Amino acid sequence: AQSVTQLDSHVSVSEGTPVLLRCNYSSSYSPSLFWYVQHPNKGLQLLLKYTSAATLVKGINGFEAEFKKSETSFHLTKPSAHMSDAAEYFCVVRPLNAGNNRKLIWGLGTSLAVNP
Amino acid sequence: DTAVSQTPKYLVTQMGNDKSIKCEQNLGHDTMYWYKQDSKKFLKIMFSYNNKELIINETVPNRFSPKSPDKAHLNLHINSLELGDSAVYFCASSPGGGVDTQYFGPGTRLTVL
């Protein structure tokens, strides 16, 4: 069975400090992996995605994530948090065996707070 | 030139009413989706259409009926609204053909009183 676990429901950092949002997945097949961000009262925006190319993926707004197959992880990082990064972050998995089934498996989200 | 648009943005209605939410994408994508996001931010897929054909239908009450008149539109009609239907509903689209990035609309906040 496929699943995705975001290990922290809430993360709080100070502005200018590093951000780490953790995500582990379970998949019988090589997956595609995504991080989406949702700012308060806004829609969902793709931050970055991994699709079996380079394991270190760079996204928008200075975020990046590293696919580690041995650890079944896809943690999201940013070297220096900005106040505007405060949002809800979702880790998403799509198993590549899914064929025409375009169903994504969504994590429960991590709420990132950035303190001045 | 909004990519995925939804109307209305806010919808407040009484229990028992019937309402529709419209979604349009101008990205030329083949696949469209409806998601429900509850108050705890949990995102759950409801339906997916590919070229007007239903391909994903999660366990959703049959009071919810999606309609896709063409591949650029996927509307959601809800009959006999209940309190538990209050949520934010997101429409999304993706190119299809194995390219899976989904592009989301701004959401429709439905409140059932």
Side-chain angles (χ1 to χ4, degrees):
Chain A
Q2 282 71 235
S3 67
V4 59
T5 303
Q6 291 184 241
L7 296 162
D8 309 292
S9 58
H10 299 279
V11 170
S12 183
V13 301
S14 297
E15 191 175 20
T17 64
V19 175
L20 170 64
L21 305 183
R22 298 181 294 166
C23 174
N24 284 97
Y25 69 92
S26 170
S27 176
S28 303
Y29 302 87
S30 297
S32 293
L33 294 153
F34 307 79
W35 276 98
Y36 280 84
V37 61
Q38 184 179 23
H39 287 93
N41 300 313
K42 300 282 187 185
L44 291 130
Q45 181 183 20
L46 179 71
L47 270 181
L48 49 82
K49 68 176 180 180
Y50 165 78
T51 54
S52 75
T55 56
L56 182 63
V57 182
K58 293 189 184 300
I60 61 171
N61 301 336
F63 283 94
E64 61 183 38
E66 186 171 7
F67 172 68
K68 291 187 176 179
K69 188 174 181 179
S70 60
E71 299 176 9
T72 60
S73 69
F74 191 57
H75 301 332
L76 182 70
T77 60
K78 182 173 179 177
S80 175
H82 191 272
M83 296 295 288
S84 61
D85 295 328
E88 192 83 17
Y89 291 80
F90 294 93
C91 183
V92 185
V93 175
R94 180 189 183 270
L96 286 181
N97 68 316
N100 283 327
N101 179 358
R102 293 169 177 82
K103 183 175 172 180
L104 301 181
I105 302 165
W106 290 75
L108 296 182
T110 298
S111 177
L112 175 65
V114 182
N115 307 308
Chain B
D1 50 343
T2 304
V4 183
S5 59
Q6 296 178 227
T7 53
K9 191 171 182 180
Y10 299 96
L11 185 53
V12 181
T13 188
Q14 300 285 335
M15 275 176 54
N17 284 350
D18 303 338
K19 291 293 178 185
S20 291
I21 307 172
K22 295 186 177 181
C23 178
E24 177 181 0
Q25 54 95 2
N26 62 5
L27 297 166
H29 289 169
D30 287 338
T31 309
M32 296 184 72
Y33 312 79
W34 276 109
Y35 286 86
K36 178 180 179 181
Q37 186 177 46
D38 63 23
S39 58
K40 294 184 179 178
K41 300 288 187 182
F42 179 62
L43 207 67
K44 179 179 169 62
I45 189 164
M46 301 173 70
F47 302 102
S48 175
Y49 271 71
N50 184 52
N51 273 322
K52 303 194 298 175
E53 180 183 344
L54 181 67
I55 57 171
I56 295 175
N57 184 356
E58 291 296 292
T59 307
V60 177
N62 56 16
R63 297 183 294 105
F64 290 79
S65 53
K67 287 185 171 49
S68 182
D70 54 62
K71 75 173 192 176
H73 295 84
L74 181 61
N75 304 322
L76 183 65
H77 188 76
I78 316 170
N79 289 328
S80 302
L81 278 155
E82 300 178 357
L83 293 176
D85 298 331
S86 295
V88 181
Y89 292 83
F90 286 101
C91 177
S93 72
S94 69
V99 180
D100 299 300
T101 302
Q102 294 185 10
Y103 297 82
F104 284 78
T108 296
R109 183 175 294 276
L110 171 65
T111 303
V112 182
L113 303 174

